[in-house]
Amino acid sequence: AFCMLAPSAAPEAKGLPLPRGTGFFISEDGYFLTARHVISDQSVPDFWLRRSHRAGEATAMLQWPDLAQEWPQFDLALLKVDFDRNREKACLAGRSGFPYIEVDISLQEEGTPVYAFGYPLPIVSAPVSMAGLVVGHVGLGHRTTSAIISSALEHTKMILTSNDAQVYVLDKALNYGNSGGPIVLTETGRVFAVCTRFQPVAVEQPNKETVFVPSLYGVASSISNIAGDLAQIVS
């Protein structure tokens, strides 16, 4: 999975690319899935895709994605990254395509062990100008979170139909930077859902005031929602 960064519009940031969320490749030829709200209000080709690395490893930094399709009703977006334009990047040395995660579009049972991967904890140093050169740094802190599928239903409605969006509620908190990250089946290593938000929980206090606790559960949009479209788009 990659952290998605886009140039900041804040004057004090001086255009430094800042983290907006997470995404991941689902095919060797460059189809890249994320949450739609991660790319909203931002020019998609301006995004940089970066990955954490250890000492001695090549820095992974890919560029020039394009929007292939988006599904606002499911908060999902599909990008396409051109391999040839990124071929000379050190992280792709010796490869003929992008590293990707296989997709599982089957419906999953409650209690199934899963894990989430994302970039919720970036450290950003303020950019400074030195002799006309702007210098700043974003330190990425990837996190893997183990969980189970707590529910295949976020909440009941007056009428439920088979056309309702399929979401999964996880029993672990997922934070802002996790948005767009993969939710992976522990048993197979295949991705079946995308982190889209957290579910607030109303907690009544002794004084009868209700407080919403924001991060008790993570909510993920199932890739099965777009299975038909993906079958036509992704080779």
Side-chain angles (χ1 to χ4, degrees), residues 166-170 174 183 192-197 218-222:
Q166 177 62 59
V167 300
Y168 295 100
V169 180
L170 308 183
L174 299 175
I183 310 298
F192 70 98
V194 177
C195 174
T196 52
R197 61 189 184 278
V219 180
S221 182
S222 174

Side-chain angles (χ1 to χ4, degrees), residues 124-154:
V124 180
S125 62
V128 296
S129 296
M130 298 184 298
L133 179 66
V134 177
V135 178
H137 174 69
V138 177
L140 302 182
H142 64 264
R143 297 292 183 269
T144 302
T145 303
S146 63
I148 63 168
I149 297 175
S150 178
S151 177
L153 179 69
E154 185 175 7

Side-chain angles (χ1 to χ4, degrees), residues 24-128:
F24 55 98
F25 287 100
I26 60 170
S27 73
E28 191 177 38
D29 58 348
Y31 283 103
F32 185 90
L33 197 58
T34 187
R36 181 182 181 270
H37 74 264
V38 170
I39 64 169
S40 62
D41 304 321
Q42 182 68 48
S43 173
V44 172
D46 289 339
F47 272 94
W48 294 12
L49 311 179
R50 280 188 55 193
R51 193 171 58 202
S52 298
H53 66 283
R54 298 180 178 87
E57 295 179 344
T59 299
M61 198 276 285
L62 306 175
Q63 295 173 276
W64 308 295
D66 288 311
L67 181 64
Q69 190 162 336
E70 56 185 343
W71 299 268
Q73 69 275 35
F74 305 126
D75 195 11
L76 295 174
L78 185 69
L79 311 185
K80 182 66 161 63
V81 184
D82 190 313
F83 183 82
D84 288 335
R85 296 186 72 184
N86 289 279
R87 183 183 296 274
E88 300 305 318
K89 300 295 177 64
C91 64
L92 296 178
R95 302 187 65 96
S96 59
F98 295 103
Y100 69 98
I101 310 175
E102 292 186 359
V103 171
D104 189 328
I105 61 170
S106 60
L107 298 181
Q108 304 300 321
E109 298 290 334
E110 295 176 0
T112 299
V114 301
Y115 63 90
F117 190 94
Y119 291 87
L121 300 172
I123 298 175
V124 180
S125 62
V128 296

Side-chain angles (χ1 to χ4, degrees), residues 202-211:
V203 180
E204 186 174 337
Q205 303 300 300
N207 62 1
K208 302 302 181 182
E209 179 184 0
T210 298
V211 175

Side-chain angles (χ1 to χ4, degrees), residues 217-230:
Y217 296 96
V219 180
S221 182
S222 174
I223 299 177
S224 66
N225 291 314
I226 59 172
D229 290 337
L230 284 185

